[in-house]
Amino acid sequence: MTEHDFRLKNWEFSNGVRAKNRLIVPAMASETADKAGYATDATIARYGRLTEVGAAIVLVEYSYVHESGRSEPNQLGAAEPGHFIGLQTLADTIRSRGALAGIQLVHAGGKTLPEWSGGRIMTPGSRPVPIMPGRKVGVPQAMSSTDMELWRHWFASSTERAIKAGYDLIELHAAHGYGLNQWLSPLTNDRTDAYGGSQENRFRFLLEIVSIVREISAGKLLSVRIAGGDFLEQGSTIVEAAILAQRLEAQGVDIINVSSGLGGWRRPRERVGEGYLLPEARFIQNRINIPVIAVGGFETPQVIDRAIALGDTSFVAVGRAILEGRYQDAHLRSSGAKEG
Ligand SMILES: Cc1cc2nc3c(=O)[nH]c(=O)nc-3n(C[C@H](O)[C@H](O)[C@H](O)COP(=O)(O)O)c2cc1C
């Protein structure tokens, strides 16, 4: 390791857990689960492969906390006792190859269809999620206070299951237009009660869920994936995202994973090059004391080193370049015990 290999430096979190370097494999849906949300041999093989690259933390793809929050037919589930064995095997696969195992929990909210969600479409209000042309979503059904209580319970019990299954890190998915993101964005949350309207009100439901999940996951790492912005007119802005990140830090969250918003994870049209969401990560990292994960088109070690060296971000997630075998970094595999 040279002094320029910032990505190889390890990181100690406040709970004493050590990440062996600054690379993360972000959640990437594999669509390899069976129709009941159980991991298959293909799911397990995939995480074996993804872990071989040598990243410090490998995140298992978005896993639904209840059938009503399922957004595709072959999505992995974390919702039922029966899902436990598969989740445990995935955590073992990742940990036995030397990475920390994380799992992303999601409720799709209104970004689903009745045929996948068991008939229910659960949204904060009456507005449909703006999605890619050509894709359809179900008709919004504004959630009652009983529905909200169910969500609190589903996130809690899925977290409990994941912790028992051996995960080092839980990530709540509050980006890419899925359920929790819909509560945050003014474009999808038109409630008139204490959970809609003002910024504080739109933050409220996520912060309540974080507080429950934080307690259950005490001693483990908690990450929240948020939108650096909606990249849509009248949508959430980077300033609002930074304030949310500060609130999450105050609630004991360990990591803020900065991605995009209602428009989905794909590159916004006006952004080019590696690290196309790095400006959002930098803006947030400069305003909080916990680590940020930056993502978006990264694929060369030097670019990653520079982002970390400049303090723009603490960690970098490399998705498609790892998935497609384009990320070559021989030093990463041998990273392990280096101080930093
Ligand atoms: C096949 C695929 C599936 C994805 N599934 C998820 C997911 O489950 N949860 C999530 O937060 N992001 C998901 N994403 C977005 C990635 O985590 C990442 O943010 C995105 O690929 C941009 O990073 P990259 O340019 O390094 O690939 C997915 C991306 C891909 C390519």
Side-chain angles (χ1 to χ4, degrees):
M1 179 167 84
T2 73
E3 60 180 318
H4 303 297
D5 287 327
F6 288 88
R7 74 196 181 288
L8 305 182
K9 295 184 176 177
N10 62 26
W11 179 282
E12 189 171 333
F13 292 98
S14 60
N15 68 353
V17 169
R18 206 165 259 252
K20 64 183 177 180
N21 57 52
R22 307 299 181 86
L23 260 286
I24 311 278
V25 177
M28 285 182 287
S30 65
E31 298 183 60
T32 57
D34 68 15
K35 297 281 183 268
Y38 290 66
T40 62
D41 289 349
T43 322
I44 291 151
R46 176 176 167 116
Y47 285 94
R49 273 197 310 279
L50 288 174
T51 308
E52 291 301 324
V53 177
I57 303 174
V58 175
L59 274 147
V60 168
E61 64 208 70
Y62 75 155
S63 303
Y64 60 87
V65 297
H66 184 259
E67 189 196 11
S68 59
R70 191 153 76 149
S71 57
E72 60 188 2
N74 291 90
Q75 191 177 352
L76 193 63
E80 296 156 25
H83 291 142
F84 178 82
I85 298 284
L87 297 181
Q88 187 179 45
T89 309
L90 290 171
D92 287 349
T93 301
I94 294 167
R95 288 170 57 89
S96 66
R97 286 168 172 77
L100 297 172
I103 184 166
Q104 189 184 60
L105 300 178
V106 70
H107 192 293
K111 197 172 172 181
T112 187
L113 288 168
E115 51 266 41
W116 299 332
S117 67
R120 289 220 59 186
I121 303 291
M122 301 178 95
T123 49
S126 63
R127 295 185 183 159
V129 190
I131 51 157
M132 284 184 298
R135 263 198 73 179
K136 280 192 349 201
V137 288
V139 178
Q141 295 167 17
M143 285 163 64
S144 66
S145 56
T146 309
D147 291 335
M148 291 168 72
E149 195 47 33
L150 285 172
W151 274 40
R152 293 184 192 97
H153 168 71
W154 294 334
F155 274 102
S157 57
S158 297
T159 299
E160 213 166 2
R161 188 165 296 116
I163 298 286
K164 283 201 186 119
Y167 287 88
D168 304 286
L169 180 153
I170 303 295
E171 179 168 274
L172 298 179
H173 197 354
H176 304 171
Y178 292 102
L180 293 170
N181 193 176
Q182 292 156 28
W183 285 82
L184 295 170
S185 175
L187 295 176
T188 39
N189 182 346
D190 60 352
R191 291 179 82 92
T192 52
D193 62 5
Y195 293 88
S198 69
Q199 172 183 285
E200 283 306 312
N201 282 359
R202 284 180 282 110
F203 287 176
R204 195 179 310 281
F205 193 40
L206 172 64
L207 293 176
E208 285 177 5
I209 288 176
V210 164
S211 143
I212 295 165
V213 166
R214 178 65 290 181
E215 210 175 310
I216 296 169
S217 64
K220 304 290 180 184
L221 298 172
L222 178 58
S223 168
V224 183
R225 194 167 217 194
I226 63 169
D230 278 332
F231 297 96
L232 295 169
E233 236 169 88
Q234 315 286 329
S236 288
T237 63
I238 181 61
V239 174
E240 191 165 287
I243 296 167
L244 175 62
Q246 289 168 341
R247 294 276 196 288
L248 292 168
E249 176 179 10
Q251 292 232 347
V253 167
D254 300 291
I255 304 169
I256 304 293
N257 190 346
V258 181
S259 192
S260 39
L262 288 190
W265 61 262
R266 284 181 175 71
R267 184 190 295 262
R269 204 170 298 147
E270 66 282 10
R271 297 292 176 96
V272 292
E274 285 194 47
Y276 56 83
L277 293 176
L278 190 58
E280 282 69 24
R282 179 191 307 126
F283 191 90
I284 293 175
Q285 185 68 90
N286 285 338
R287 286 162 179 81
I288 58 175
N289 300 305
I290 52 172
V292 157
I293 302 175
V295 72
F298 285 101
E299 45 182 273
T300 46
Q302 293 75 10
V303 175
I304 294 169
D305 281 337
R306 195 178 326 126
I308 297 167
L310 291 173
D312 291 349
T313 186
S314 304
F315 289 90
V316 168
V318 178
R320 286 163 294 178
I322 288 181
L323 190 64
E324 294 157 15
R326 279 182 285 113
Y327 185 76
Q328 302 297 335
D329 193 346
H331 299 295
L332 204 61
R333 262 174 234 251
S334 55
S335 70
K338 301 186 182 72
E339 294 303 315

mmCIF file of all heavy atoms in Angstrom, residues 302-339:
data_model
loop_
_atom_site.group_PDB
_atom_site.id
_atom_site.type_symbol
_atom_site.label_atom_id
_atom_site.label_comp_id
_atom_site.label_asym_id
_atom_site.label_seq_id
_atom_site.Cartn_x
_atom_site.Cartn_y
_atom_site.Cartn_z
ATOM 1 N N GLN A 302 -7.965 4.863 -8.815
ATOM 2 C CA GLN A 302 -7.420 6.209 -8.622
ATOM 3 C C GLN A 302 -8.530 7.236 -8.365
ATOM 4 O O GLN A 302 -8.363 8.150 -7.561
ATOM 5 C CB GLN A 302 -6.605 6.665 -9.853
ATOM 6 C CG GLN A 302 -5.325 5.888 -10.094
ATOM 7 C CD GLN A 302 -5.580 4.486 -10.679
ATOM 8 O OE1 GLN A 302 -6.695 4.136 -11.077
ATOM 9 N NE2 GLN A 302 -4.524 3.671 -10.716
ATOM 10 N N VAL A 303 -9.632 7.086 -9.068
ATOM 11 C CA VAL A 303 -10.752 8.022 -8.874
ATOM 12 C C VAL A 303 -11.324 7.849 -7.467
ATOM 13 O O VAL A 303 -11.650 8.824 -6.770
ATOM 14 C CB VAL A 303 -11.842 7.789 -9.955
ATOM 15 C CG1 VAL A 303 -13.055 8.667 -9.689
ATOM 16 C CG2 VAL A 303 -11.282 8.058 -11.342
ATOM 17 N N ILE A 304 -11.404 6.601 -7.037
ATOM 18 C CA ILE A 304 -11.932 6.303 -5.699
ATOM 19 C C ILE A 304 -10.983 6.871 -4.640
ATOM 20 O O ILE A 304 -11.410 7.520 -3.678
ATOM 21 C CB ILE A 304 -12.117 4.779 -5.544
ATOM 22 C CG1 ILE A 304 -13.207 4.309 -6.515
ATOM 23 C CG2 ILE A 304 -12.433 4.403 -4.100
ATOM 24 C CD1 ILE A 304 -13.327 2.807 -6.670
ATOM 25 N N ASP A 305 -9.673 6.639 -4.832
ATOM 26 C CA ASP A 305 -8.679 7.169 -3.888
ATOM 27 C C ASP A 305 -8.800 8.682 -3.752
ATOM 28 O O ASP A 305 -8.726 9.225 -2.655
ATOM 29 C CB ASP A 305 -7.256 6.823 -4.366
ATOM 30 C CG ASP A 305 -6.880 5.383 -4.049
ATOM 31 O OD1 ASP A 305 -7.481 4.804 -3.126
ATOM 32 O OD2 ASP A 305 -5.994 4.849 -4.735
ATOM 33 N N ARG A 306 -8.975 9.352 -4.878
ATOM 34 C CA ARG A 306 -9.029 10.817 -4.854
ATOM 35 C C ARG A 306 -10.259 11.299 -4.070
ATOM 36 O O ARG A 306 -10.170 12.220 -3.253
ATOM 37 C CB ARG A 306 -9.044 11.375 -6.283
ATOM 38 C CG ARG A 306 -8.741 12.860 -6.314
ATOM 39 C CD ARG A 306 -8.690 13.470 -7.721
ATOM 40 N NE ARG A 306 -8.161 12.564 -8.717
ATOM 41 C CZ ARG A 306 -8.780 12.243 -9.850
ATOM 42 N NH1 ARG A 306 -9.961 12.747 -10.138
ATOM 43 N NH2 ARG A 306 -8.223 11.422 -10.718
ATOM 44 N N ALA A 307 -11.391 10.653 -4.296
ATOM 45 C CA ALA A 307 -12.622 11.062 -3.594
ATOM 46 C C ALA A 307 -12.450 10.921 -2.081
ATOM 47 O O ALA A 307 -12.875 11.792 -1.310
ATOM 48 C CB ALA A 307 -13.805 10.225 -4.078
ATOM 49 N N ILE A 308 -11.775 9.849 -1.670
ATOM 50 C CA ILE A 308 -11.577 9.627 -0.230
ATOM 51 C C ILE A 308 -10.512 10.588 0.309
ATOM 52 O O ILE A 308 -10.679 11.185 1.374
ATOM 53 C CB ILE A 308 -11.208 8.153 0.039
ATOM 54 C CG1 ILE A 308 -12.381 7.253 -0.385
ATOM 55 C CG2 ILE A 308 -10.849 7.925 1.504
ATOM 56 C CD1 ILE A 308 -12.057 5.776 -0.461
ATOM 57 N N ALA A 309 -9.436 10.742 -0.458
ATOM 58 C CA ALA A 309 -8.342 11.618 -0.020
ATOM 59 C C ALA A 309 -8.828 13.056 0.186
ATOM 60 O O ALA A 309 -8.418 13.735 1.132
ATOM 61 C CB ALA A 309 -7.220 11.605 -1.055
ATOM 62 N N LEU A 310 -9.728 13.509 -0.677
ATOM 63 C CA LEU A 310 -10.227 14.886 -0.582
ATOM 64 C C LEU A 310 -11.266 15.052 0.532
ATOM 65 O O LEU A 310 -11.721 16.154 0.803
ATOM 66 C CB LEU A 310 -10.846 15.311 -1.918
ATOM 67 C CG LEU A 310 -9.857 15.488 -3.082
ATOM 68 C CD1 LEU A 310 -10.605 15.738 -4.389
ATOM 69 C CD2 LEU A 310 -8.887 16.628 -2.798
ATOM 70 N N GLY A 311 -11.669 13.924 1.115
ATOM 71 C CA GLY A 311 -12.672 13.990 2.182
ATOM 72 C C GLY A 311 -14.088 14.143 1.651
ATOM 73 O O GLY A 311 -15.004 14.474 2.403
ATOM 74 N N ASP A 312 -14.280 13.896 0.359
ATOM 75 C CA ASP A 312 -15.620 14.015 -0.216
ATOM 76 C C ASP A 312 -16.548 12.928 0.307
ATOM 77 O O ASP A 312 -17.766 13.076 0.338
ATOM 78 C CB ASP A 312 -15.566 13.886 -1.748
ATOM 79 C CG ASP A 312 -14.884 15.081 -2.381
ATOM 80 O OD1 ASP A 312 -14.650 16.077 -1.672
ATOM 81 O OD2 ASP A 312 -14.574 15.006 -3.587
ATOM 82 N N THR A 313 -15.967 11.790 0.645
ATOM 83 C CA THR A 313 -16.736 10.653 1.140
ATOM 84 C C THR A 313 -15.797 9.770 1.955
ATOM 85 O O THR A 313 -14.573 9.857 1.798
ATOM 86 C CB THR A 313 -17.349 9.853 -0.032
ATOM 87 O OG1 THR A 313 -18.199 8.832 0.500
ATOM 88 C CG2 THR A 313 -16.289 9.198 -0.913
ATOM 89 N N SER A 314 -16.369 8.911 2.795
ATOM 90 C CA SER A 314 -15.534 7.982 3.577
ATOM 91 C C SER A 314 -15.438 6.630 2.884
ATOM 92 O O SER A 314 -14.417 5.950 2.968
ATOM 93 C CB SER A 314 -16.130 7.798 4.968
ATOM 94 O OG SER A 314 -16.283 9.047 5.609
ATOM 95 N N PHE A 315 -16.530 6.227 2.237
ATOM 96 C CA PHE A 315 -16.594 4.946 1.535
ATOM 97 C C PHE A 315 -17.096 5.171 0.112
ATOM 98 O O PHE A 315 -17.785 6.155 -0.161
ATOM 99 C CB PHE A 315 -17.570 3.990 2.241
ATOM 100 C CG PHE A 315 -17.066 3.483 3.565
ATOM 101 C CD1 PHE A 315 -17.346 4.178 4.741
ATOM 102 C CD2 PHE A 315 -16.317 2.330 3.651
ATOM 103 C CE1 PHE A 315 -16.884 3.724 5.960
ATOM 104 C CE2 PHE A 315 -15.848 1.856 4.863
ATOM 105 C CZ PHE A 315 -16.129 2.563 6.032
ATOM 106 N N VAL A 316 -16.762 4.220 -0.763
ATOM 107 C CA VAL A 316 -17.272 4.271 -2.133
ATOM 108 C C VAL A 316 -17.909 2.926 -2.461
ATOM 109 O O VAL A 316 -17.323 1.868 -2.192
ATOM 110 C CB VAL A 316 -16.134 4.579 -3.140
ATOM 111 C CG1 VAL A 316 -16.590 4.349 -4.579
ATOM 112 C CG2 VAL A 316 -15.662 6.026 -2.970
ATOM 113 N N ALA A 317 -19.110 2.979 -3.013
ATOM 114 C CA ALA A 317 -19.778 1.756 -3.466
ATOM 115 C C ALA A 317 -19.543 1.602 -4.964
ATOM 116 O O ALA A 317 -19.691 2.560 -5.728
ATOM 117 C CB ALA A 317 -21.269 1.826 -3.170
ATOM 118 N N VAL A 318 -19.166 0.390 -5.340
ATOM 119 C CA VAL A 318 -18.955 0.077 -6.760
ATOM 120 C C VAL A 318 -19.936 -1.043 -7.115
ATOM 121 O O VAL A 318 -19.811 -2.156 -6.614
ATOM 122 C CB VAL A 318 -17.506 -0.379 -7.023
ATOM 123 C CG1 VAL A 318 -17.315 -0.749 -8.490
ATOM 124 C CG2 VAL A 318 -16.513 0.712 -6.612
ATOM 125 N N GLY A 319 -20.917 -0.709 -7.934
ATOM 126 C CA GLY A 319 -21.973 -1.661 -8.256
ATOM 127 C C GLY A 319 -21.714 -2.423 -9.536
ATOM 128 O O GLY A 319 -21.108 -3.496 -9.561
ATOM 129 N N ARG A 320 -22.139 -1.820 -10.649
ATOM 130 C CA ARG A 320 -22.103 -2.553 -11.924
ATOM 131 C C ARG A 320 -20.697 -2.964 -12.324
ATOM 132 O O ARG A 320 -20.514 -4.044 -12.909
ATOM 133 C CB ARG A 320 -22.751 -1.707 -13.020
ATOM 134 C CG ARG A 320 -24.263 -1.669 -12.893
ATOM 135 C CD ARG A 320 -24.864 -0.542 -13.682
ATOM 136 N NE ARG A 320 -24.465 0.753 -13.144
ATOM 137 C CZ ARG A 320 -24.821 1.918 -13.658
ATOM 138 N NH1 ARG A 320 -25.566 1.945 -14.738
ATOM 139 N NH2 ARG A 320 -24.433 3.050 -13.100
ATOM 140 N N ALA A 321 -19.688 -2.155 -12.005
ATOM 141 C CA ALA A 321 -18.323 -2.517 -12.419
ATOM 142 C C ALA A 321 -17.871 -3.806 -11.730
ATOM 143 O O ALA A 321 -17.123 -4.599 -12.316
ATOM 144 C CB ALA A 321 -17.361 -1.373 -12.122
ATOM 145 N N ILE A 322 -18.351 -4.042 -10.506
ATOM 146 C CA ILE A 322 -18.020 -5.305 -9.831
ATOM 147 C C ILE A 322 -18.902 -6.427 -10.382
ATOM 148 O O ILE A 322 -18.427 -7.503 -10.732
ATOM 149 C CB ILE A 322 -18.172 -5.165 -8.296
ATOM 150 C CG1 ILE A 322 -17.031 -4.294 -7.742
ATOM 151 C CG2 ILE A 322 -18.197 -6.537 -7.617
ATOM 152 C CD1 ILE A 322 -17.039 -4.083 -6.236
ATOM 153 N N LEU A 323 -20.166 -6.133 -10.502
ATOM 154 C CA LEU A 323 -21.118 -7.147 -11.009
ATOM 155 C C LEU A 323 -20.698 -7.672 -12.375
ATOM 156 O O LEU A 323 -20.782 -8.860 -12.657
ATOM 157 C CB LEU A 323 -22.504 -6.490 -11.106
ATOM 158 C CG LEU A 323 -23.709 -7.372 -11.378
ATOM 159 C CD1 LEU A 323 -23.930 -8.341 -10.233
ATOM 160 C CD2 LEU A 323 -24.956 -6.500 -11.549
ATOM 161 N N GLU A 324 -20.216 -6.763 -13.206
ATOM 162 C CA GLU A 324 -19.872 -7.147 -14.587
ATOM 163 C C GLU A 324 -18.388 -7.485 -14.740
ATOM 164 O O GLU A 324 -17.892 -7.648 -15.857
ATOM 165 C CB GLU A 324 -20.269 -5.993 -15.530
ATOM 166 C CG GLU A 324 -21.787 -5.791 -15.571
ATOM 167 C CD GLU A 324 -22.206 -4.386 -16.009
ATOM 168 O OE1 GLU A 324 -21.354 -3.649 -16.556
ATOM 169 O OE2 GLU A 324 -23.381 -4.028 -15.790
ATOM 170 N N GLY A 325 -17.651 -7.577 -13.629
ATOM 171 C CA GLY A 325 -16.247 -7.999 -13.669
ATOM 172 C C GLY A 325 -15.294 -6.960 -14.225
ATOM 173 O O GLY A 325 -14.163 -7.252 -14.595
ATOM 174 N N ARG A 326 -15.722 -5.693 -14.287
ATOM 175 C CA ARG A 326 -14.857 -4.646 -14.843
ATOM 176 C C ARG A 326 -13.974 -3.989 -13.797
ATOM 177 O O ARG A 326 -13.058 -3.270 -14.124
ATOM 178 C CB ARG A 326 -15.712 -3.562 -15.511
ATOM 179 C CG ARG A 326 -16.168 -3.922 -16.904
ATOM 180 C CD ARG A 326 -16.969 -2.802 -17.537
ATOM 181 N NE ARG A 326 -18.315 -2.714 -16.992
ATOM 182 C CZ ARG A 326 -18.774 -1.707 -16.268
ATOM 183 N NH1 ARG A 326 -17.997 -0.693 -15.973
ATOM 184 N NH2 ARG A 326 -20.020 -1.704 -15.828
ATOM 185 N N TYR A 327 -14.286 -4.198 -12.528
ATOM 186 C CA TYR A 327 -13.479 -3.548 -11.490
ATOM 187 C C TYR A 327 -12.324 -4.462 -11.104
ATOM 188 O O TYR A 327 -12.521 -5.497 -10.476
ATOM 189 C CB TYR A 327 -14.316 -3.201 -10.256
ATOM 190 C CG TYR A 327 -13.501 -2.414 -9.250
ATOM 191 C CD1 TYR A 327 -13.215 -1.070 -9.464
ATOM 192 C CD2 TYR A 327 -12.992 -3.023 -8.112
ATOM 193 C CE1 TYR A 327 -12.438 -0.351 -8.576
ATOM 194 C CE2 TYR A 327 -12.217 -2.310 -7.206
ATOM 195 C CZ TYR A 327 -11.947 -0.975 -7.452
ATOM 196 O OH TYR A 327 -11.176 -0.263 -6.570
ATOM 197 N N GLN A 328 -11.114 -4.085 -11.522
ATOM 198 C CA GLN A 328 -9.922 -4.899 -11.254
ATOM 199 C C GLN A 328 -9.079 -4.165 -10.224
ATOM 200 O O GLN A 328 -8.662 -3.043 -10.469
ATOM 201 C CB GLN A 328 -9.103 -5.086 -12.540
ATOM 202 C CG GLN A 328 -9.866 -5.740 -13.686
ATOM 203 C CD GLN A 328 -10.308 -7.166 -13.347
ATOM 204 O OE1 GLN A 328 -9.704 -7.833 -12.515
ATOM 205 N NE2 GLN A 328 -11.375 -7.623 -13.991
ATOM 206 N N ASP A 329 -8.839 -4.797 -9.095
ATOM 207 C CA ASP A 329 -8.093 -4.123 -8.027
ATOM 208 C C ASP A 329 -7.389 -5.186 -7.189
ATOM 209 O O ASP A 329 -7.888 -5.609 -6.151
ATOM 210 C CB ASP A 329 -9.081 -3.310 -7.175
ATOM 211 C CG ASP A 329 -8.389 -2.338 -6.236
ATOM 212 O OD1 ASP A 329 -7.163 -2.474 -6.037
ATOM 213 O OD2 ASP A 329 -9.086 -1.465 -5.702
ATOM 214 N N ALA A 330 -6.219 -5.605 -7.686
ATOM 215 C CA ALA A 330 -5.503 -6.709 -7.045
ATOM 216 C C ALA A 330 -5.184 -6.396 -5.583
ATOM 217 O O ALA A 330 -5.183 -7.280 -4.732
ATOM 218 C CB ALA A 330 -4.209 -6.989 -7.807
ATOM 219 N N HIS A 331 -4.935 -5.104 -5.269
ATOM 220 C CA HIS A 331 -4.550 -4.741 -3.897
ATOM 221 C C HIS A 331 -5.690 -4.936 -2.908
ATOM 222 O O HIS A 331 -5.467 -5.160 -1.735
ATOM 223 C CB HIS A 331 -4.110 -3.282 -3.853
ATOM 224 C CG HIS A 331 -2.926 -3.010 -4.710
ATOM 225 N ND1 HIS A 331 -1.686 -3.566 -4.471
ATOM 226 C CD2 HIS A 331 -2.798 -2.273 -5.829
ATOM 227 C CE1 HIS A 331 -0.846 -3.165 -5.400
ATOM 228 N NE2 HIS A 331 -1.496 -2.390 -6.244
ATOM 229 N N LEU A 332 -6.894 -4.827 -3.422
ATOM 230 C CA LEU A 332 -8.059 -4.898 -2.540
ATOM 231 C C LEU A 332 -8.149 -6.247 -1.846
ATOM 232 O O LEU A 332 -8.418 -6.344 -0.659
ATOM 233 C CB LEU A 332 -9.311 -4.680 -3.378
ATOM 234 C CG LEU A 332 -10.531 -4.166 -2.652
ATOM 235 C CD1 LEU A 332 -10.241 -2.813 -2.043
ATOM 236 C CD2 LEU A 332 -11.687 -4.052 -3.630
ATOM 237 N N ARG A 333 -7.933 -7.300 -2.613
ATOM 238 C CA ARG A 333 -8.016 -8.656 -2.065
ATOM 239 C C ARG A 333 -7.075 -8.867 -0.896
ATOM 240 O O ARG A 333 -7.389 -9.572 0.043
ATOM 241 C CB ARG A 333 -7.625 -9.656 -3.142
ATOM 242 C CG ARG A 333 -8.783 -10.260 -3.828
ATOM 243 C CD ARG A 333 -8.238 -11.105 -4.945
ATOM 244 N NE ARG A 333 -8.877 -10.703 -6.165
ATOM 245 C CZ ARG A 333 -9.766 -11.462 -6.777
ATOM 246 N NH1 ARG A 333 -10.071 -12.629 -6.309
ATOM 247 N NH2 ARG A 333 -10.325 -11.050 -7.878
ATOM 248 N N SER A 334 -5.884 -8.251 -1.011
ATOM 249 C CA SER A 334 -4.888 -8.480 0.041
ATOM 250 C C SER A 334 -5.019 -7.475 1.181
ATOM 251 O O SER A 334 -4.290 -7.541 2.151
ATOM 252 C CB SER A 334 -3.479 -8.429 -0.551
ATOM 253 O OG SER A 334 -3.322 -7.198 -1.215
ATOM 254 N N SER A 335 -5.960 -6.508 1.035
ATOM 255 C CA SER A 335 -6.115 -5.541 2.127
ATOM 256 C C SER A 335 -6.724 -6.275 3.306
ATOM 257 O O SER A 335 -7.427 -7.251 3.150
ATOM 258 C CB SER A 335 -7.007 -4.374 1.698
ATOM 259 O OG SER A 335 -8.322 -4.778 1.548
ATOM 260 N N GLY A 336 -6.428 -5.834 4.494
ATOM 261 C CA GLY A 336 -6.967 -6.549 5.654
ATOM 262 C C GLY A 336 -6.598 -5.890 6.940
ATOM 263 O O GLY A 336 -7.437 -5.395 7.661
ATOM 264 N N ALA A 337 -5.330 -5.804 7.206
ATOM 265 C CA ALA A 337 -4.929 -5.366 8.541
ATOM 266 C C ALA A 337 -4.258 -3.997 8.534
ATOM 267 O O ALA A 337 -3.565 -3.646 9.456
ATOM 268 C CB ALA A 337 -3.979 -6.390 9.134
ATOM 269 N N LYS A 338 -4.461 -3.248 7.456
ATOM 270 C CA LYS A 338 -3.717 -1.993 7.369
ATOM 271 C C LYS A 338 -4.397 -0.891 8.193
ATOM 272 O O LYS A 338 -5.597 -0.738 8.158
ATOM 273 C CB LYS A 338 -3.589 -1.585 5.908
ATOM 274 C CG LYS A 338 -2.867 -2.665 5.131
ATOM 275 C CD LYS A 338 -2.590 -2.234 3.715
ATOM 276 C CE LYS A 338 -1.909 -3.351 2.959
ATOM 277 N NZ LYS A 338 -2.834 -4.469 2.663
ATOM 278 N N GLU A 339 -3.588 -0.156 8.883
ATOM 279 C CA GLU A 339 -4.141 0.920 9.722
ATOM 280 C C GLU A 339 -4.513 2.105 8.858
ATOM 281 O O GLU A 339 -3.915 2.333 7.831
ATOM 282 C CB GLU A 339 -3.100 1.352 10.755
ATOM 283 C CG GLU A 339 -2.754 0.286 11.776
ATOM 284 C CD GLU A 339 -3.982 -0.204 12.537
ATOM 285 O OE1 GLU A 339 -4.794 0.622 12.955
ATOM 286 O OE2 GLU A 339 -4.124 -1.431 12.706
#
